[in-house]
Amino acid sequence: MKKIYIIAFILTILFQAKAQPWWKPKTDSLTLNHVKAHIMNNADAINGGAPYIAPVHLNKSPLFSASLWVGGYHNGGLRMSAMTYRQNGNDFWPGPLDTINPVDTNAIKPYTDLWKINRFDIANFQYNWSLGNVQNGTFIPHPTILNWPAHGTGGYSRRLAPFVDMNGDGLYNPIQDGDYPKMKGDQMIWWMFNDSLKHTESGTAGLGIEVHASAYVFTCPAIADSDRVLNYTTFYNYDIIHRGPDIIDSGIVGVWMDPDRGNG
């Protein structure tokens, strides 16, 4: 009987290990103004596990879930990438697309993070670089500045996350050249995702798109009352790049949203 229990236990561990996804779901939050906006490393701008809290002091979530939707036609057949509650699976996956080879889930892992940066971190970096403190090692820049995914390697695009290129050489080099992430707002999160792995949520074929996404906020404590809505606003930007071999026509882009207005 002991041998049977041991074998069953080992099989359970192996099954659980095999069931783990190749990518780790990651979240981060924009917290600089009166909203706590959780961001996931895929197309879910918001979901029940990573809520949108506004205003922060009331700890209420007016939105339950939201995601990018993209659709179009190829030779009369519908192509669509659209997430709701993931009740059937996934249409979008973290990371960019290899421009030469099929998706390699091991090679793509370094590109599945979320990169968060504040305006102050960049200003502090610029000031210290101008004094030579970055170059001589007496000032260590924020990790996001050092690890900014400006370029891909191998079959990944050499133009990924946008950056300010101080000497115009096309290469991201914060230490020697003073390059830094190009951001919007006072706090920003930047990430990448694609629709070219399993496509089980919408049930259609994918479009072959790579999406460079950013979410950002402004904080303006002294702003006029007529404009204070800015301190309760989150902005989202999606750069959609078609890397698939098929021509897509009649394309439509939208955002699906499940609001919880009046959520108590």
Side-chain angles (χ1 to χ4, degrees), residues 134-238:
V134 175
Q135 299 91 315
N136 64 29
T138 59
F139 175 82
I140 305 301
H142 189 280
T144 297
I145 296 176
L146 295 176
N147 300 318
W148 191 243
H151 309 294
T153 59
Y156 295 107
S157 173
R158 296 302 184 267
R159 297 177 59 87
L160 295 176
F163 65 96
V164 176
D165 189 357
M166 295 298 290
N167 64 358
D169 66 354
L171 302 175
Y172 183 71
N173 190 337
I175 302 300
Q176 299 301 323
D177 297 341
D179 301 335
Y180 55 89
K182 187 175 183 179
M183 68 172 293
K184 297 179 180 180
D186 295 313
Q187 185 180 67
M188 183 183 78
I189 295 176
W190 193 93
W191 73 106
M192 298 172 277
F193 56 91
N194 70 83
D195 76 337
S196 293
L197 285 170
K198 294 180 180 178
H199 225 251
T200 53
E201 176 77 329
S202 65
T204 72
L207 296 93
I209 57 174
E210 172 181 312
V211 182
H212 298 174
S214 59
Y216 57 97
V217 297
F218 293 91
T219 178
C220 306
I223 199 169
D225 285 349
S226 58
D227 296 322
R228 64 180 180 175
V229 66
L230 188 64
N231 287 322
Y232 295 84
T233 302
T234 307
F235 297 88
Y236 297 86
N237 186 87
Y238 299 102

Side-chain angles (χ1 to χ4, degrees), residues 5-222:
Y5 289 138
I6 291 172
I7 292 172
F9 180 68
I10 292 173
L11 287 175
T12 300
I13 292 176
L14 290 174
F15 175 77
Q16 290 176 345
K18 187 176 181 180
Q20 297 300 313
W22 63 267
W23 61 282
K24 182 180 180 181
K26 299 175 183 177
T27 63
D28 207 335
S29 302
L30 296 169
T31 57
L32 206 61
N33 62 8
H34 297 311
V35 175
K36 185 175 183 179
H38 291 269
I39 306 296
M40 296 187 69
N41 61 336
N42 50 39
D44 292 349
I46 307 154
N47 72 20
Y52 186 88
I53 308 299
V56 172
H57 71 278
L58 293 180
N59 197 31
K60 304 296 183 183
S61 178
L63 300 172
F64 180 76
S65 189
S67 181
L68 179 71
W69 281 21
V70 184
Y73 290 91
H74 173 66
N75 291 338
L78 177 65
R79 300 286 182 91
M80 185 174 181
S81 296
M83 299 300 309
T84 54
Y85 308 102
R86 297 185 179 274
Q87 66 269 45
N88 297 317
N90 299 293
D91 277 8
F92 287 111
W93 303 84
L97 291 177
D98 192 308
T99 58
I100 301 173
N101 306 303
V103 175
D104 182 333
T105 55
N106 287 318
I108 205 174
K109 285 181 182 179
Y111 303 97
T112 62
D113 283 332
L114 297 157
W115 289 267
K116 180 178 177 179
I117 191 70
N118 289 351
R119 179 72 63 186
F120 170 79
D121 298 319
I122 290 180
N124 199 19
F125 165 78
Q126 290 176 294
Y127 173 73
N128 278 277
W129 195 89
S130 69
L131 297 178
N133 297 334
V134 175
Q135 299 91 315
N136 64 29
T138 59
F139 175 82
I140 305 301
H142 189 280
T144 297
I145 296 176
L146 295 176
N147 300 318
W148 191 243
H151 309 294
T153 59
Y156 295 107
S157 173
R158 296 302 184 267
R159 297 177 59 87
L160 295 176
F163 65 96
V164 176
D165 189 357
M166 295 298 290
N167 64 358
D169 66 354
L171 302 175
Y172 183 71
N173 190 337
I175 302 300
Q176 299 301 323
D177 297 341
D179 301 335
Y180 55 89
K182 187 175 183 179
M183 68 172 293
K184 297 179 180 180
D186 295 313
Q187 185 180 67
M188 183 183 78
I189 295 176
W190 193 93
W191 73 106
M192 298 172 277
F193 56 91
N194 70 83
D195 76 337
S196 293
L197 285 170
K198 294 180 180 178
H199 225 251
T200 53
E201 176 77 329
S202 65
T204 72
L207 296 93
I209 57 174
E210 172 181 312
V211 182
H212 298 174
S214 59
Y216 57 97
V217 297
F218 293 91
T219 178
C220 306

